[in-house]
Amino acid sequence: MEKDLLLWQKFRNGDRAVFELIIREHYRTLFDYGKKFLSDRDALTDCIHDLFTSLWERHQFLGSTDQIKPYLLKSLRNRIIKEKQRSNQFIFIDNDDELFLNEEDIESKIITSEYTEEKKKQIGYVLHTLTPRQQEIIYLKFYENLTNDQIATVLAISRPAVANLLHATLRLFREKWETLLHTVVLFIASL
């Protein structure tokens, strides 16, 4: 966090090399997070570009932060929401489509190598039964490895609300997982 504070201060003072470092370090994370909101990748690229352009133009007036990644994630999220409200060209992904969790992303983080492909499919099924908000908090926690404080910043909710939502989501996941396993065991037993 001290590293982020120092980098951000240098950026705010107009250090272009630090700004380019921030872009290189966080572009992929922003793109991966943003594609969960936008189906149009060109529009997403434009949003990220506009975000960084705006940050550079306003660098002298920005506040201090010791957590660059959550700051950028929240800024991108807000920018996408504003663009959605301003223009109908942005198409949000429907609840039935992939949102925050897909097999390439979160499952590879959650599932360790000893699980079989079948178990990966079962976990994917359970994850996709969660609400978009529940999927988002799992994505931020387990894929982006954000702390509860950082998630609170990104989602603009309190830290206790993050803890409650995460707890409830993990409890629901566990219940759905146990139900699925029970169903599979009953099915196999009936064969």
Side-chain angles (χ1 to χ4, degrees), residues 31-167:
F31 188 82
D32 289 345
Y33 184 63
K35 70 183 181 183
K36 311 305 179 184
F37 292 97
L38 290 176
S39 59
D40 182 345
R41 292 180 186 239
D42 291 332
L44 173 58
T45 301
D46 289 345
C47 265
I48 295 170
H49 178 267
D50 291 348
L51 170 65
F52 282 120
T53 300
S54 175
L55 288 173
W56 181 252
E57 289 172 351
R58 299 179 20 249
H59 69 269
Q60 297 169 317
F61 307 107
L62 297 174
S64 183
T65 186
D66 62 349
Q67 299 178 15
I68 295 173
K69 184 178 182 178
Y71 181 93
L72 294 175
L73 289 170
K74 180 177 182 179
S75 297
L76 179 63
R77 184 177 200 266
N78 290 341
R79 181 170 291 274
I80 289 171
I81 290 170
K82 281 182 188 175
E83 288 297 322
K84 168 63 175 139
Q85 292 169 347
R86 195 166 23 135
S87 169
N88 287 333
Q89 81 180 50
F90 287 91
I91 302 169
F92 274 74
I93 299 171
D94 294 331
N95 286 347
D96 294 337
D97 293 334
E98 229 173 71
L99 280 174
F100 285 92
L101 306 169
N102 61 47
E103 290 180 4
E104 296 92 35
D105 288 341
I106 194 69
E107 288 179 5
S108 64
K109 294 284 185 174
I110 294 177
I111 302 171
T112 57
S113 60
E114 69 265 9
Y115 284 103
T116 64
E117 285 300 313
E118 184 59 33
K119 288 184 181 176
K120 284 184 180 181
K121 290 177 186 174
Q122 292 169 350
I123 289 174
Y125 171 78
V126 173
L127 290 173
H128 285 87
T129 64
L130 300 175
T131 67
R133 186 69 157 189
Q134 291 167 331
Q135 290 180 16
E136 184 175 18
I137 198 162
I138 286 178
Y139 178 86
L140 293 171
K141 183 70 173 180
F142 296 105
Y143 181 74
E144 293 300 333
N145 297 315
L146 297 183
T147 65
N148 287 5
D149 288 332
Q150 293 170 327
I151 293 171
T153 300
V154 172
L155 298 182
I157 60 177
S158 69
R159 187 182 185 290
V162 168
N164 290 341
L165 179 58
L166 190 57
H167 175 75

